[in-house]
Amino acid sequence: MKRKVLSKLLVCAGIAIATTSMNAHGAEIYIESEQDIAEEIYFDSLEYLACCVEAEAGNQGLMGKRLVCDVILNRVDSKDFPDNIFDVINQKNQFSVVSNGRIYEVSVSDETFEACRLGLEERTDKDILYFTAGGYSACGSPAYKYKDHYFSR
């Protein structure tokens, strides 16, 4: 449902998401360009980011969600992690919500979409790379605790 809304927003903004043509029977068919496919992959990764943030920090408020979003985006920007959202989230033993399947079961709240939008515009913390619940990660240097999560650099 969110993808349909996003597609409508893109069309209203004048961003083409596909070209159309008519087949021999007069039916309209859609032909996606490489740019269209790249945009689709990008927007799918943003939706996946929101699912991960919701699953990991759904009860942590806007700031807690922004911080989890920061961890993921900071990893994308780091030379020590994969260079895209999907691969960062799916990296083995990194996000429990992937291994336990919760990422695929959540319904993303408007607040979480807002946290991700804000995170893409400007990070709250550009240095954090790890978070855990219950104590600091063995990786990185302890930075601070926010609600249930311990963040490390």
Side-chain angles (χ1 to χ4, degrees):
M1 181 196 258
K2 295 286 185 186
R3 182 179 294 162
K4 288 180 185 176
V5 171
L6 180 59
S7 295
K8 287 179 184 177
L9 290 172
L10 291 172
V11 170
C12 289
I15 301 170
I17 56 173
T19 57
T20 60
S21 183
M22 301 295 264
N23 70 11
H25 303 287
E28 190 174 56
I29 57 173
Y30 292 91
I31 304 166
E32 292 186 319
S33 69
E34 286 183 31
Q35 180 181 349
D36 297 332
I37 294 167
E39 287 176 1
E40 180 78 16
I41 291 168
Y42 174 73
F43 287 114
D44 284 349
S45 73
L46 296 181
E47 187 173 357
Y48 198 55
L49 170 66
C51 288
C52 187
V53 170
E54 182 72 38
E56 290 283 4
N59 64 348
Q60 301 299 298
L62 182 64
M63 179 57 78
K65 292 174 182 183
R66 287 195 67 187
L67 291 169
V68 168
C69 183
D70 287 348
V71 167
I72 296 166
L73 296 176
N74 290 345
R75 286 183 180 193
V76 171
D77 293 342
S78 170
K79 62 179 176 49
D80 297 325
F81 293 92
D83 64 356
N84 65 78
I85 292 169
F86 184 81
D87 289 346
V88 162
I89 292 171
N90 286 302
Q91 193 173 22
K92 189 173 181 175
N93 300 321
Q94 295 301 303
F95 292 93
S96 62
V97 298
V98 174
S99 58
N100 69 21
R102 181 157 162 64
I103 192 170
Y104 307 109
E105 299 168 353
V106 296
S107 179
V108 180
S109 69
D110 289 340
E111 181 181 67
T112 299
F113 278 115
E114 177 70 1
C116 292
R117 184 190 67 75
L118 291 169
L120 289 164
E121 288 178 8
E122 183 177 359
R123 312 266 167 85
T124 304
D125 187 328
K126 295 178 181 179
D127 297 321
I128 55 173
L129 293 171
Y130 307 96
F131 73 94
T132 58
Y136 287 106
S137 171
C139 300
S141 302
Y144 50 85
K145 179 181 188 271
Y146 184 83
K147 293 199 175 187
D148 296 335
H149 289 147
Y150 294 79
F151 294 89
S152 300
R153 294 186 163 94

